[in-house]
Amino acid sequence: MRNQSKYIILAFLSITIFVGGCKKDFLNQAPESSLTNANFWKTESDLKQGVVGAYSSLRGMGTFSYWVFGEMRSDNTTFQYNAPQRGQENRELVDQLLVNSTNTLIQDYWRDCYVAISRCNDVLNNVGRIEMPAAAKSQAIGEVKFLRAFHYFNLVRQFGGVPLRLEAIKSPGEAPSKGRATVDEVYKQIITDLTDAANELPDVASYPASEKGRATKGAANALLGEVYLTQKKYGEALTALRKVTGYSLLSAYKDIFLTTNKNNAESIFEIQYYSTAGTNLSSNFMYQFAPFNSGTAVTNDPGTNLNFNSGWNTPTGDLIAAYEPGDLRKDVSLAEGFTSGPDFVAVPYVKKYNQGFVQPGQTNVNFPVSRYADVLLMIAECLNEQGFAPDGEAFGLLNQIRRRAGLNAKTFDNPIPALKVSSQAAFRIAIDQERKVELAFENHRWYDLVRTGTAIPVLTAHGQREIAKNPSQFPAGSYQPTQNKLLLPIPQREVNLDNLSQNPQ
């Protein structure tokens, strides 16, 4: 009965469609009701609503899971220890690399990814039933294949091999998976989906203003390039990344994150947020990332005090020190400290998403998933891995990013030691440094550490620095990374109910 209950729940989740009605912004649609396959999937409008439902899954994960597991788990950020309130230890354990298989955050992340995948599968399984123009149908297929690949890419990097669910679940008997696919099998499906998406999706310039924010050919190729880079297939990665066209760096780093400049020329893909009365479409980053004791001083929102859930994703001293003197990105990205009085230790906090509020407790700040700066740095990394070239294209791409930040170029024979990059190994360090500060708080750091094989030494040193601040507040075993701990444990509920093998811990 326990298994059957789970399967029935999964079956209903797989056929839930979010519907709404706002024509101005395609994603600015609130859920209104649940419909089943029996009375849905009949019109082009139904298909559009199904695609919107697939996109909507990103919002909840964007405001929590992505930064917890992609940024706070890395050396870039940590959390503000709050002695009076000990109700969020699950988050702290993620940061301290002590998370176990019963941690509810892991279960929630797993569940949310598969709910999102099921919505993509619903679209793909039913699109053939609808009479509509071929171009519109192809675009819908491309969008949900991009989204499905995005979720599986996150899952495989966090958990290793996971069940591959590629069909909508129509009955309780279809709910059990076939077990964990291998890592190679998951990547093969991701590449297939992204290749298809890149062929089906239009270029960014093809979308009217009201449709900006949808997945594009460029988004599919950018993600495909990152997938190949993660697999160390540098030639294939370069081929995909060079197809990301129609984008350009903004002249000022600060302009990238303005709410008045969403989906700008540098943006390849963003999670879309809105602040509309009576809906749950808004973002809340500036509240969660504000220091716990800051009241309304950091957010400047006098209508609400959300400090019961703040003090997270706090910049580390290591990240702050990584910014070179004169780096224009530093003041945009973070503040070195907030203090409420002379007896309090200053607490750093993220500023990048502190762009004001629309209504008390609600912001409409988007979250950047992919930017053109990221693509340029990935191209430079691929070129260097194929062979170090003292005067090559890789240096030019690296220095494009540095010049916008107000920094001097790094060159092969620079007389200034800090700007001299004279070998392939040195260029790797230069790319790592640039990605660390350019993409800070955009959920790339954990994946970069694991991908480049530097996670264990970097996180060991990071942990030693964190523990040294106040050894008594850390549980035994904190910040002791091992190869096994680079993967999250499979949620114990899934191990029990779906008979999945567990990752070694």
Side-chain angles (χ1 to χ4, degrees), residues 156-430:
V156 75
R157 290 184 295 176
Q158 292 286 2
F159 295 98
V162 294
L164 274 175
R165 296 184 178 274
L166 305 177
E167 300 290 334
I169 299 171
K170 301 180 181 68
S171 69
E174 296 177 358
S177 73
K178 296 178 181 179
R180 297 177 64 179
T182 67
V183 168
D184 287 344
E185 288 169 339
V186 178
Y187 272 112
K188 182 179 179 181
Q189 184 60 49
I190 292 169
I191 290 168
T192 296
D193 276 351
L194 289 175
T195 301
D196 290 347
N199 290 330
E200 302 279 6
L201 288 169
D203 293 317
V204 63
S206 300
Y207 282 124
S210 62
E211 299 289 292
K212 295 296 185 184
R214 289 186 180 274
T216 62
K217 188 181 298 293
N221 279 315
L223 189 58
L224 181 59
E226 186 177 4
V227 169
Y228 280 131
L229 178 59
T230 301
Q231 294 183 301
K232 302 187 185 305
K233 297 179 179 179
Y234 303 113
E236 292 94 330
L238 270 176
T239 298
L241 293 168
R242 290 195 185 282
K243 293 178 181 178
V244 181
T245 58
Y247 305 90
S248 60
L249 295 181
L250 298 191
S251 58
Y253 186 77
K254 64 181 178 62
D255 292 342
I256 299 169
F257 311 101
L258 298 175
T259 55
T260 55
N261 204 19
K262 294 183 176 186
N263 307 306
N264 54 66
E266 185 167 337
S267 170
I268 296 174
F269 190 70
E270 301 179 6
I271 301 176
Q272 309 289 310
Y273 292 97
Y274 309 87
S275 183
T276 305
T279 67
N280 188 26
L281 309 177
S282 62
S283 53
N284 59 8
F285 308 114
M286 79 171 183
Y287 302 103
Q288 294 196 77
F289 301 164
F292 178 79
N293 59 355
S294 62
T296 61
V298 168
T299 65
N300 293 314
D301 182 349
T304 186
N305 185 341
L306 298 182
N307 282 308
F308 67 91
N309 197 26
S310 57
W312 302 105
N313 219 26
T314 302
T316 61
D318 180 65
L319 174 62
I320 293 170
Y323 288 91
E324 298 167 57
D327 192 329
L328 300 175
R329 296 170 293 196
K330 183 178 181 180
D331 186 58
V332 175
S333 299
L334 61 87
E336 290 198 52
F338 166 83
T339 179
S340 58
D343 298 328
F344 290 87
V345 175
V347 178
Y349 62 92
V350 176
K351 285 175 58 180
K352 183 174 281 189
Y353 308 112
N354 197 329
Q355 302 290 339
F357 63 96
V358 179
Q359 300 183 69
Q362 293 188 4
T363 76
N364 62 345
V365 177
N366 282 0
F367 198 95
V369 172
S370 179
R371 292 197 282 118
Y372 192 55
D374 179 20
V375 169
L376 296 182
L377 290 173
M378 286 193 288
I379 292 175
E381 183 174 343
C382 290
L383 291 169
N384 183 60
E385 292 302 324
Q386 290 186 320
F388 178 69
D391 299 313
E393 180 188 1
F395 272 98
L397 297 173
L398 173 69
N399 289 324
Q400 277 189 56
I401 307 299
R402 291 180 58 80
R403 281 193 295 271
R404 181 175 66 178
L407 301 176
N408 292 325
K410 290 188 174 182
T411 59
F412 172 72
D413 55 357
N414 202 300
I416 301 173
L419 298 176
K420 184 175 182 177
V421 180
S422 56
S423 67
Q424 184 183 55
F427 197 90
R428 288 180 183 136
I429 294 171

